[in-house]
Amino acid sequence: MGWKHGKRWVYSITYDEGCQRLLDYAVPLHRRFGVPGHVALVASQVGVPRNCPGSSYDGMMILSRTELDGLRTEGWGVSCHGHTHAGIDSGNADFEVVAARRVL
Ligand SMILES: [Zn+2]
């Protein structure tokens, strides 16, 4: 993939939790400058109002699968903050890491 203006590399910005409002504010700026970003999401919180008790993001709408797919086609990256945003230990690692990655 070539970068805008023939640049050989670009900075990227990662947005925690993948709130849908990125489409209104951040994504247009990324498009304007030709630089993709990155979102890190909780696998069980795609396309729904965020519900991770204690989180300051709670209630904010999270990007849908279709919106994520659209960003991916523009070069955006997607990474995983686990299945439920819980701390990870040997008892839940398979669910929080392996299963969550499959979902995203
Ligand atoms: Zn997180």
Side-chain angles (χ1 to χ4, degrees):
M1 171 182 202
W3 301 111
K4 203 168 185 177
H5 308 301
K7 299 292 184 185
R8 295 177 52 207
W9 60 272
V10 295
Y11 286 100
S12 180
I13 299 173
T14 297
Y15 297 93
D16 206 17
E17 315 312 341
C19 295
Q20 196 177 48
R21 304 280 319 252
L22 290 172
L23 298 175
D24 299 325
Y25 299 104
V27 172
L29 289 172
H30 280 268
R31 288 176 180 147
R32 179 174 158 200
F33 291 103
V35 176
H38 189 101
V39 288
L41 298 104
V42 175
S44 64
Q45 309 279 297
V46 174
V48 297
R50 184 175 165 92
N51 181 18
C52 290
S55 169
S56 60
Y57 290 88
D58 269 12
M60 293 183 183
M61 192 64 188
I62 302 301
L63 293 163
S64 71
R65 168 68 53 202
T66 301
E67 291 161 340
L68 286 171
D69 289 346
L71 291 175
R72 294 267 301 138
T73 63
E74 294 181 46
W76 282 59
V78 176
S79 63
C80 184
H81 275 193
H83 211 97
T84 67
H85 216 263
I88 301 193
D89 58 30
S90 59
N92 68 2
D94 191 56
F95 179 67
E96 290 291 340
V97 178
V98 180
R101 188 175 186 279
R102 275 192 227 113
V103 170
L104 287 179

